[in-house]
């Protein structure tokens, strides 16, 4: 019982850390009778200064917020799997629950979706996406950066053809970097609920621009 209470409180804080990276607002939602802008697919459009939107060319929409949040949730979940086997499932479940509480709250506050049936439809859709994210990112972590990049391209960018591959590589580097940090952290450092991700994918810019040794060797043979 004590573990459940500790996990609930800590994952509530960790979930805030996972959601902040793609935070957005919709000013029109705060005004009476104002129409919320939409993109070409009909999704509500917000405003954000986040790197994930401004630099990647993604629209500040609910679905994109969810996908960026899922990346950070995934990183946390991988670390939770290192907890004792009797504790890990409790932490994973509480983190997942908090994610969908946050998603439902966002639908009400910023998207003015007050009908429970419609909110549940959105939540069911993103839960399906979350399950797909877990499988594809696990495969990418195990099989290599190319597979991980493909999973990010498919989930975050919805398979768009106009993706900036350098930015995609930065996200791969960021995920690898943060997994390494989490791996080196003690259980107590993570379980106190105060863990924060270090910087963002933009910090990987110089790294991904470096020419690999294998590429340089191959070029010298031409």
């Amino acid at each position: 019982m004590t573990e459940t209470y500790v996990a609930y409180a800590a994952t509530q804080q960790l979930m805030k850390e996972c959601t902040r990276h793609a935070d957005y607002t919709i000013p029109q939602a705060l005004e009476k009778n104002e129409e919320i802008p939409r993109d070409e697919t009909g999704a509500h459009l917000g405003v954000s200064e986040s790197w994930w939107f401004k630099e990647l060319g993604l629209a500040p929409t609910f679905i994109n917020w969810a996908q960026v949040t899922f990346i950070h949730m995934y990183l946390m979940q991988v670390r939770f799997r290192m907890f004792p086997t009797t504790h890990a499932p409790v932490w994973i479940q509480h983190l997942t629950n908090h994610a969908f509480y946050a998603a439902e709250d966002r639908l009400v506050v910023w998207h003015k979706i007050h009908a429970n049936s419609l909110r549940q439809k959105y939540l069911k859709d993103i839960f399906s996406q979350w399950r797909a994210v877990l499988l594809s990112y696990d495969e990418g972590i195990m099989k290599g950066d190319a597979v991980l990049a493909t999973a990010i391209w498919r989930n975050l960018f919805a398979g768009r053809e106009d993706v900036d591959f350098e930015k995609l590589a930065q996200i791969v580097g960021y995920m690898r970097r943060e997994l390494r940090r989490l791996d080196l952290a003690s259980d107590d450092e993570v379980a106190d609920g105060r863990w924060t991700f270090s910087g963002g994918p933009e910090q990987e810019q110089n790294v991904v621009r470096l020419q690999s040794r294998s590429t340089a060797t191959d070029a010298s043979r031409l």
Side-chain angles (χ1 to χ4, degrees):
M1 290 297 293
T2 301
E3 183 70 21
T4 296
Y5 289 128
V6 171
Y8 180 90
T11 52
Q12 187 174 43
Q13 291 303 117
L14 292 171
M15 194 63 235
K16 292 178 182 178
E17 172 62 14
C18 291
T19 60
R20 73 173 177 85
H21 299 270
D23 196 24
Y24 66 89
T25 61
I26 302 178
Q28 293 84 354
L30 303 178
E31 302 294 333
K32 188 176 181 179
N33 299 324
E34 281 289 327
E35 184 175 351
I36 296 176
R38 298 175 182 269
D39 66 10
E40 64 277 4
T41 69
H44 287 169
L45 270 175
V47 293
S48 176
E49 293 300 312
S50 168
W51 178 90
W52 294 87
F53 297 132
K54 295 194 73 174
E55 297 298 322
L56 293 186
L58 295 174
T61 64
F62 176 75
I63 293 300
N64 289 336
W65 168 85
Q67 284 294 335
V68 175
T69 298
F70 286 164
I71 287 176
H72 296 87
M73 283 177 62
Y74 173 77
L75 298 175
M76 292 305 311
Q77 178 159 319
V78 170
R79 183 58 180 82
F80 289 164
R81 295 173 189 168
M82 297 170 61
F83 284 2
T85 54
T86 54
H87 293 177
V90 175
W91 285 77
I92 290 170
Q93 187 59 58
H94 278 309
L95 185 74
T96 304
N97 290 345
H98 285 308
F100 286 89
Y101 296 152
E104 185 166 18
D105 183 66
R106 181 166 290 273
L107 288 172
V108 173
V109 173
W110 296 113
H111 297 272
K112 298 302 179 185
I113 300 177
H114 299 294
N116 184 61
S117 59
L118 187 54
R119 289 201 307 276
Q120 293 308 312
K121 180 182 181 300
Y122 275 100
L123 295 175
K124 184 178 180 180
D125 287 346
I126 65 168
F127 182 74
S128 296
Q129 293 179 33
W130 170 234
R131 302 304 298 177
V133 160
L134 286 174
L135 292 172
S136 61
Y137 291 170
D138 273 348
E139 181 184 31
I141 292 299
M142 293 298 295
K143 292 186 177 181
D145 289 349
V147 178
L148 181 57
T150 301
I152 297 168
W153 171 69
R154 188 169 59 249
N155 290 304
L156 180 61
F157 295 98
R160 276 174 26 195
E161 295 183 0
D162 60 340
V163 171
D164 184 330
F165 292 105
E166 183 176 298
K167 296 291 195 305
L168 183 58
Q170 288 177 36
I171 299 172
V172 172
Y174 169 69
M175 292 180 70
R176 293 286 187 186
R177 183 188 78 209
E178 293 306 300
L179 282 174
R180 177 61 175 165
R181 289 184 63 237
L182 285 162
D183 182 41
L184 294 174
S186 68
D187 285 355
D188 287 342
E189 287 180 87
V190 178
D192 70 3
R194 291 181 292 179
W195 175 269
T196 58
F197 294 100
S198 176
E202 64 272 20
Q203 292 187 353
E204 300 297 306
Q205 184 179 64
N206 292 335
V207 176
V208 302
R209 288 180 177 178
L210 289 175
Q211 186 177 22
S212 70
R213 292 180 180 178
S214 61
T215 302
T217 301
D218 291 342
S220 66
R221 295 172 180 171
L222 297 178

